Amino acid sequence: MMPDRIVRDELLESEKWLSLKDNADRLIFVAMILTADDFGNLEASLFHVRRLGSTYGITTDKRAEQTISNLTDAGLIALYQVQTENDVRGPKTYAHIPNFKQKLRFPRRAHPMPDWQEASYEPDVTGNAWRDKIRPAILERDGHQCALCKATN
């Protein structure tokens, strides 16, 4: 289950979002924000886009293709493909939302990262972010001793 997402009011004033000619495309983009993983990646097959947009009038592959093209041209998503070893159907298409600004303590990946995405973009997903980054500062502040367990390292 994906965590709740925050859609900020900045979106309503975004030139990229407002440049879309169709409200269905705008709604699909919001749906993509809500269904993306913690890194802004989601499946972008024609089937997936049709499923997301079926209630907004996106019911054919042609219309789904047009929506994907409109979102890509506006710079709201970037497409990439990933080939898995056991999948004989060919590479899967994914979308990355470039300005995905969700702040989470422990992000989880549900979809593969694009090859072109910088390694520095990927936050610590090991669950040790607190221990590795914050704990040393707290120990230094508290005289190098944990206030709860009296540990010194």
Side-chain angles (χ1 to χ4, degrees), residues 61-116:
D61 281 351
K62 182 178 179 184
R63 181 63 176 98
E65 218 171 287
Q66 180 184 4
T67 296
I68 291 170
S69 176
N70 292 344
L71 293 172
T72 304
D73 292 346
L76 293 169
I77 63 170
L79 297 178
Y80 65 99
Q81 294 186 332
V82 175
Q83 175 69 49
T84 56
E85 292 178 25
N86 301 330
D87 196 351
V88 294
R89 295 174 291 179
K92 267 186 154 178
T93 301
Y94 293 91
H96 173 70
I97 302 171
N99 291 326
F100 192 76
K101 297 178 182 174
Q102 298 293 313
K103 304 280 189 238
L104 300 171
R105 277 186 148 165
F106 303 108
R108 291 184 190 96
R109 182 184 347 270
H111 304 289
M113 299 291 279
D115 291 338
W116 40 263

Side-chain angles (χ1 to χ4, degrees), residues 2 9 38 60 77 85 94 103 114 122 129 136-137 144 152-153:
M2 300 307 292
D9 60 346
D38 295 343
T60 65
I77 63 170
E85 292 178 25
Y94 293 91
K103 304 280 189 238
E122 188 170 345
H144 298 281
T152 57
N153 48 347

